[in-house]
Amino acid sequence: MEEKLSVNHLLGIKNINQNDIKLIFKTADNFKTVINRSIKRVPSLRDITVANIFFENSTRTRVSFELAEKRLSADIVNFSSTSSSVSKGETLIDTVNNILAMKVDMVVMRHPAPGAAVFLAKNTNTQVINAGDGTHEHPTQALLDAYSIKEKLGDVKGKKIAIIGDILHSRVAISNILCLKKLGAEVMVCGPATLIPKYIGSMGVKIEYNLQNALKWCDVANMLRIQLERQDIKYFPSLREYTMQYGINLQTLQNLEKEIVIMHPGPINRGVEITSDVADHNQSIILNQVENGVAIRMAVLYLLAMKKTENVKN
Ligand code: CP
């Protein structure tokens, strides 16, 4: 019997289990082979229509989902808040129900409000994939990050991953912690005390305020951007001081007595959390993460579509 996901939507890593993650990885392995062929398209989602609704800026996630859908032969509609009637005061549910009336099967949504994807799944009759909801979750980013670690180091279990930077405003950090813990990794967060949320210890992670200690401990450093657009007060004196305390440069890497893997979900602020020579270093897997994002999103779209077919049959 074909393996299935335990969920009908991908709202967060919180809602899926280890078997789901392993199934997504196994399916992504197959799709990675497909997208590296000269003919990159398969008919798996033919006759399925996906709406990509982005109410917040995005490069990687938006393009990656669109490419994943195209590679699976889905029909696609794209819209953003500025180009839609949301800007005229229409509610999110009305907007989505109008799209669904045009026979859309699945919605991929990025939204600035935490919980927006859950709200949509509860209040509309469609399959929802969360492409990032405020400071809450970014599940496909966490999946592609963990997949990239597995690809580079052979396994995630037992590996030591340090997530460094603006943890307080980061949906990537939350989803990564949940995903990595479900796969048996040890996780540490590191940053200024003002950017480490008080509840984070309850997620079973180590907390470190000193960058050198974090780098000496870890196998992988996942560097996060300072999310100035979500900060309405000052959390540190200046970006320059942040970089001096928590930025990684080539010298920092070379001073370590071992090789660590460098990751970044993007977008990178070169010269702030990471210098160009580190971003482009052969220990960096930043572009592998982007490449793997397409295969992971193909896997998620495909497995959710299979789930819908199963629900219709029953
Ligand atoms: N990593 C990520 O979510 O990047 P975008 O904001 O460009 O989609």
Side-chain angles (χ1 to χ4, degrees):
M1 207 175 75
E2 205 179 340
E3 292 172 277
K4 302 275 186 211
L5 289 178
S6 68
V7 290
N8 292 319
H9 311 272
L10 181 62
L11 303 175
I13 300 293
K14 192 179 80 185
N15 312 93
I16 60 175
N17 59 41
Q18 192 193 67
N19 286 343
D20 292 324
I21 298 171
K22 289 187 171 170
L23 176 59
I24 292 168
F25 285 5
K26 198 166 80 175
T27 312
D29 284 342
N30 293 332
F31 285 133
K32 194 160 175 184
T33 311
V34 169
I35 58 180
N36 281 300
R37 293 195 311 228
S38 53
I39 297 170
K40 299 176 175 59
R41 195 180 283 254
V42 286
S44 314
L45 291 200
R46 207 175 51 201
D47 300 329
I48 299 267
T49 306
V50 186
N52 299 308
I53 311 179
F54 278 69
F55 294 116
E56 211 186 55
N57 291 345
S58 169
T59 301
R60 276 147 293 271
T61 312
R62 189 174 50 80
V63 174
S64 182
F65 265 113
E66 191 172 333
L67 273 176
E69 292 149 9
K70 285 181 171 159
R71 305 277 190 244
L72 292 168
S73 307
D75 292 320
I76 305 170
V77 283
N78 293 317
F79 73 89
S80 63
S81 50
T82 45
S83 64
S84 77
S85 293
V86 173
S87 63
K88 299 178 193 165
E90 188 172 60
T91 67
L92 176 62
I93 290 174
D94 277 342
T95 300
V96 172
N97 276 332
N98 274 274
I99 296 168
L100 296 181
M102 295 181 243
K103 309 296 173 210
V104 164
D105 302 288
M106 239 185 241
V107 171
V108 174
M109 183 174 74
R110 171 166 289 191
H111 200 284
V118 175
F119 178 73
L120 195 65
K122 279 192 180 150
N123 289 287
T124 61
N125 186 22
T126 188
Q127 288 186 293
V128 178
I129 300 178
N130 181 4
D133 59 333
T135 53
H136 178 226
E137 279 229 38
H138 192 349
T140 54
Q141 180 69 47
L143 290 164
L144 74 89
D145 288 343
Y147 183 84
S148 303
I149 293 170
K150 180 172 180 279
E151 185 179 66
K152 179 73 180 172
L153 299 179
D155 203 350
V156 176
K157 193 172 177 189
K159 298 295 180 292
K160 293 178 174 171
I161 321 295
I163 305 172
I164 297 164
D166 183 356
I167 312 297
L168 183 65
H169 300 98
S170 177
R171 55 193 174 212
V172 173
I174 302 304
S175 290
N176 259 266
I177 292 168
L178 292 167
C179 189
L180 294 166
K181 297 285 296 177
K182 284 183 186 196
L183 294 174
E186 286 185 66
V187 185
M188 173 186 279
V189 294
C190 173
T194 49
L195 289 176
I196 307 270
K198 298 230 172 351
Y199 65 80
I200 208 88
S202 67
M203 295 183 78
V205 300
K206 297 178 195 301
I207 300 170
E208 177 60 66
Y209 303 106
N210 180 291
L211 177 68
Q212 293 308 321
N213 290 345
L215 295 178
K216 279 184 203 150
W217 173 84
C218 72
D219 302 308
V220 177
N222 194 353
M223 305 303 293
L224 301 181
R225 179 176 68 89
I226 294 291
Q227 302 200 24
L228 290 174
E229 75 277 19
R230 295 192 208 280
Q231 299 182 12
D232 42 21
I233 59 165
K234 269 192 172 293
Y235 290 89
F236 45 83
S238 68
L239 267 186
R240 206 170 130 233
E241 273 150 323
Y242 176 83
T243 301
M244 285 162 66
Q245 296 289 320
Y246 293 100
I248 296 191
N249 57 37
L250 193 58
Q251 197 61 55
T252 327
L253 263 197
Q254 287 171 345
N255 287 348
L256 290 173
E257 284 165 7
K258 56 176 186 178
E259 273 200 7
I260 61 166
V261 177
I262 300 292
M263 300 177 71
H264 196 305
I268 298 175
N269 283 327
R270 286 176 185 255
V272 179
E273 66 273 11
I274 188 170
T275 52
S276 280
D277 44 17
V278 173
D280 305 330
H281 197 272
N282 60 17
Q283 286 169 235
S284 156
I285 59 165
I286 294 171
L287 290 180
N288 305 71
Q289 292 172 257
V290 178
E291 181 187 342
N292 288 334
V294 178
I296 284 289
R297 290 177 175 118
M298 286 173 83
V300 168
L301 288 156
Y302 171 77
L303 289 166
L304 286 177
M306 290 305 101
K307 195 69 193 179
K308 187 173 182 182
T309 313
E310 177 196 65
N311 292 344
V312 169
K313 271 194 226 150
N314 296 336

